[in-house]
Amino acid sequence: MAFRPRGSRPLRTLLAVLVAASVAVPVAGAARPAAVPAPAPALLAPMRAATPGALDERYAVNRDGIRAAGRMAADHGDRRRAAVLRAMAEPTRHFLSFDGRDGGRTTEVFGDLSRAERIAVLVPGSDTSLDTYGRFRAGAVALRQQLGDRAAVIAWLGYRTPSTASPEAMTPGRAEVAAPRLRRFFQELRALKPTARSSLLCHSYGSVVCARGASGLGVDAVVLYGSPGTGTDTVDGLRSRAAVWAGRGADDWIAAVPHVRLRLPFVTVGFGTDPVAKEFGARVFDAGTGGHSDYLKPGSVPLKNIARIVSGQAPSLAGRHA
């Protein structure tokens, strides 16, 4: 017998969105550049020390890898990718890891990690790759400037993000692959900086990644913003002792995404409870009036509040159920 979903209008809306996305995928994929070849990254030992010398050595190895990927992109004829990689290879840029294959995986540090007393790790959402990395980096730069000295921001693009116009953006598959990688990174980070205050900042689909990986990370705060849901019904589902904060801008389109979770044969669609809803149980901070890409915009209300959370201070609250 054919499967026939029953229930509320949000369920039917979610299914309609999924069908529309599945039709949009070939169109979106055709508009995007073909995969650009890149060399395999250098094999690096786990990070053992956060001394300036040890970090500089690692940064240099990854800089060489970025340059090699840039040359291969140029030979392939992708000038845009080659230009992005040339900028990444500048001596002022600091990468703990780099892999240019399959859209790219990077871990970039902003600030002096060896001296940092507060560390914020950013996990991006959909449509983040080497080709769109500039906007992700801009948010990291803005947060680092807001935090000031003795703080480091780490932009962790450690997984293949889904396209917004794809079924993958509404299912947990990419997050399930990413979560073990996030845990491994934090294991190394804790070994490097065991006394630093650490925060996990999760935007959009990145909040699904964080929810899958939060258990056992040992972070002080988890911040969910622009989130479609986490795949859990309440903060208890994150299995983390961290303070969990959530915020959403007044003009963020993500509010229109149905906050349901539908278990279909072979796949689960949707991410359940709205993180800013009272029943989820997060502490809600004021995320201002901006849209989905405005949370780390310089001078914005959410940027200031996220920086306060990272620093261990109380943000201004959204007022409903903080």
Side-chain angles (χ1 to χ4, degrees), residues 111-153:
D112 188 347
L113 186 57
S114 67
R115 299 174 61 244
E117 297 173 354
R118 295 158 292 156
I119 300 172
V121 177
L122 303 182
V123 179
S126 302
D127 293 317
T128 307
S129 67
L130 291 181
D131 292 330
T132 60
Y133 186 76
R135 65 189 184 193
F136 183 39
R137 182 178 187 271
V141 169
L143 179 59
R144 171 64 180 80
Q145 292 174 342
Q146 185 72 37
L147 288 168
D149 294 337
R150 296 289 183 175
V153 175

Side-chain angles (χ1 to χ4, degrees), residues 235-292:
V235 293
D236 291 340
L238 273 62
R239 295 177 294 171
S240 172
R241 296 181 180 180
V244 179
W245 293 87
R248 185 171 63 225
D251 198 33
D252 190 341
W253 59 262
I254 206 76
V257 173
H259 291 286
V260 295
R261 188 164 65 252
L262 180 62
R263 292 182 174 87
L264 300 172
F266 309 113
V267 68
T268 297
V269 180
F271 304 114
T273 310
D274 185 347
V276 300
K278 182 176 182 179
E279 56 266 29
F280 186 74
R283 307 177 190 187
V284 179
F285 67 92
D286 185 357
T289 60
H292 193 63

Side-chain angles (χ1 to χ4, degrees), residues 81-307:
R81 175 70 63 84
V84 168
L85 293 170
R86 282 196 300 272
M88 285 185 166
E90 290 292 327
T92 55
R93 305 281 292 271
H94 300 138
F95 288 87
L96 292 173
S97 67
F98 174 81
D99 185 346
R101 299 172 298 179
D102 194 27
R105 312 284 185 276
T106 68
T107 306
E108 186 171 9
V109 177
F110 302 84
D112 188 347
L113 186 57
S114 67
R115 299 174 61 244
E117 297 173 354
R118 295 158 292 156
I119 300 172
V121 177
L122 303 182
V123 179
S126 302
D127 293 317
T128 307
S129 67
L130 291 181
D131 292 330
T132 60
Y133 186 76
R135 65 189 184 193
F136 183 39
R137 182 178 187 271
V141 169
L143 179 59
R144 171 64 180 80
Q145 292 174 342
Q146 185 72 37
L147 288 168
D149 294 337
R150 296 289 183 175
V153 175
I154 299 176
W156 185 83
L157 175 55
Y159 76 112
R160 183 185 177 192
T161 66
S163 169
T164 299
S166 72
E168 285 82 6
M170 288 170 281
T171 61
R174 297 285 175 89
E176 290 169 354
V177 173
R181 298 173 181 173
L182 183 63
R183 292 192 198 101
R184 286 195 296 270
F185 172 70
F186 264 93
Q187 288 172 356
E188 292 191 49
L189 187 61
R190 283 203 309 270
L192 285 180
K193 304 290 297 185
T195 63
R197 174 182 170 83
S198 61
S199 301
L200 184 60
L201 311 184
C202 318
H203 178 236
S204 195
Y205 188 87
S207 61
V208 187
V209 175
C210 292
R212 291 293 192 279
S215 179
L217 291 187
V219 296
D220 297 281
V222 175
V223 186
L224 312 172
Y225 50 103
S227 174
T230 64
T232 64
D233 294 326
T234 68
V235 293
D236 291 340
L238 273 62
R239 295 177 294 171
S240 172
R241 296 181 180 180
V244 179
W245 293 87
R248 185 171 63 225
D251 198 33
D252 190 341
W253 59 262
I254 206 76
V257 173
H259 291 286
V260 295
R261 188 164 65 252
L262 180 62
R263 292 182 174 87
L264 300 172
F266 309 113
V267 68
T268 297
V269 180
F271 304 114
T273 310
D274 185 347
V276 300
K278 182 176 182 179
E279 56 266 29
F280 186 74
R283 307 177 190 187
V284 179
F285 67 92
D286 185 357
T289 60
H292 193 63
S293 300
D294 296 333
Y295 292 94
L296 299 181
K297 186 177 180 179
S300 67
V301 169
L303 175 67
K304 293 176 182 177
N305 276 332
I306 289 171

